[in-house]
Amino acid sequence: MQTESDSYELHVGVPPVEVFRRLRTDAGLSDKAPEAVALALPNTWFGVVLQHEGEPIGMGRIVGDGGTAFQIVDICVHPAHQGRGLGRRIMAALTDELERRAPDTAYVSLIADGPARHLYEKFGFADTATHDSVGMYRLMRTR
């Protein structure tokens, strides 16, 4: 007997540029310029794409220098498929790869938006403020 979770397949890799952009915007994340995405995707240290019946519906990536610093980015699941543990499945694949290949002294970071922090906490991530650090960011604007 096939269960609903059997209809989801996780594949190692990154989606094509337009699929990447669609996955982000469908999940409520900001869009990225196609030129920027085309530059970014080949620099992925590790990525996964979640498919449902052959259609990409989620993804996640790790970027970084491969030794000292890594960042988990682009975690998203299409709203029609949320609430089924699929974000957890993506995070598990990413953190498993980090545990397998990243050096013990590597620093792994991410930005948690809204309630996503509860998912990330289940994988050992903590608020940087509790470690006397503060997360900061800068957005580059179109000139």
Side-chain angles (χ1 to χ4, degrees):
M1 179 174 167
Q2 186 176 18
T3 65
E4 181 183 35
S5 64
D6 292 340
S7 64
Y8 293 96
E9 294 181 348
L10 198 63
H11 299 276
V12 173
V14 295
V17 170
E18 288 308 314
V19 174
F20 174 92
R21 295 178 68 216
R22 178 183 55 79
L23 289 173
R24 283 186 56 88
T25 57
D26 285 354
L29 302 177
S30 62
D31 194 7
K32 300 293 181 187
E35 305 81 30
V37 176
L39 290 170
L41 291 179
N43 293 307
T44 300
W45 185 77
F46 181 76
V48 294
V49 178
L50 184 66
Q51 295 186 347
H52 176 68
E53 298 176 351
E55 180 70 21
I57 57 93
M59 66 177 172
R61 298 189 311 134
I62 302 170
V63 297
D65 63 15
T68 65
F70 298 87
Q71 186 172 31
I72 294 178
V73 296
D74 304 320
I75 304 295
C76 59
V77 174
H78 188 283
H81 299 272
Q82 292 176 2
R84 299 176 180 158
L86 300 172
R88 179 184 291 242
R89 193 166 164 187
I90 291 168
M91 276 299 294
L94 298 179
T95 55
D96 286 352
E97 190 68 13
L98 283 164
E99 289 170 5
R100 190 173 75 74
R101 291 180 37 210
D104 291 342
T105 57
Y107 185 84
V108 182
S109 62
L110 57 78
I111 302 290
D113 295 329
R117 72 175 300 136
H118 302 296
L119 170 64
Y120 304 139
E121 287 169 346
K122 292 175 183 170
F123 289 91
F125 289 87
D127 188 328
T128 59
T130 63
H131 298 283
D132 203 24
S133 296
V134 65
M136 301 178 80
Y137 73 97
R138 176 183 172 194
L139 293 176
M140 302 306 293
R141 299 287 179 207
T142 303
R143 295 178 190 140

